[in-house]
Amino acid sequence: GTLALPVLGVGAIPATGVSAVLLNVTSAQGTEGGFVTVFADGPTRPTASNLNYGKGQTIANLVVAQVNPSTGKVDFYNGSTGTTNLIADVEGYFLAGPPTASGAFGSVPSFRALDTRKSSPVAALGVVQLTVAGVDGIPATGVSAVVFNLTATQGTSSGFITAYADGTSRPAGSNL
């Protein structure tokens, strides 16, 4: 099922001029395992998920979601055969319009950039390079960073994932 949540003009979010919101999304007490996709209100749901959960699990993830400027809403899709409770805490918003200042944020519709389930799993201690510049609305130049949801699935051992800029040294901290 899909739930539409009004966000424009709610709390401290302006009623106009907002392209995306930053949400802490939590799934709680799911009756079956599944996933949640958060996206701009409307008929087109992206194939990417923002949060994956197991039966009975309470799990949260920080999500950046585009807002439909016509309806002022974001949609939450429960990709499960069961039900789940959803909690969405607004953490901030991004102004609409093209990014013009260094460090400004530009939102694009969510898209799945990588899925190794369709090729082969990442090897132990392996590195995967992912090109994002020039892909699905991300400019080919002038971008210093991207916001994305990182998910690990079907691991054969415990471990961690670190995302970092290609050509730089891997930082000590992990993302997942």
Side-chain angles (χ1 to χ4, degrees):
T2 301
L3 170 75
L5 177 70
V7 292
L8 293 187
V10 177
I13 301 175
T16 61
V18 172
S19 65
V21 289
L22 181 64
L23 304 164
N24 189 47
V25 178
T26 304
S27 168
Q29 303 162 333
T31 59
E32 297 292 333
F35 64 92
V36 176
T37 300
V38 186
F39 57 102
D41 181 49
T44 306
R45 177 174 42 91
T47 58
S49 65
N50 299 100
L51 175 70
N52 299 293
Y53 61 90
K55 181 178 179 177
Q57 185 180 28
T58 297
I59 190 163
N61 196 22
L62 198 60
V63 175
V64 176
Q66 281 190 311
V67 177
N68 181 326
S70 299
T71 66
K73 299 175 183 179
V74 295
D75 287 348
F76 296 77
Y77 172 75
N78 174 25
S80 169
T81 57
T83 62
T84 190
N85 288 301
L86 292 176
I87 303 157
D89 299 316
V90 176
E91 305 295 338
Y93 61 90
F94 296 96
L95 298 174
T100 56
S102 181
F105 177 82
S107 65
V108 298
S110 295
F111 65 92
R112 178 145 298 152
L114 174 70
D115 189 342
T116 62
R117 294 176 296 181
K118 296 179 180 179
S119 55
S120 60
V122 180
L125 305 176
V127 175
V128 173
Q129 291 178 317
L130 175 64
T131 300
V132 292
V135 177
D136 282 334
I138 299 174
T141 61
V143 175
S144 62
V146 294
V147 175
F148 61 91
N149 191 53
L150 181 61
T151 303
T153 185
Q154 301 169 339
T156 59
S157 180
S158 298
F160 63 92
I161 307 292
T162 301
Y164 57 101
D166 185 44
T168 63
S169 297
R170 180 172 50 90
S174 64
N175 299 92
L176 178 67

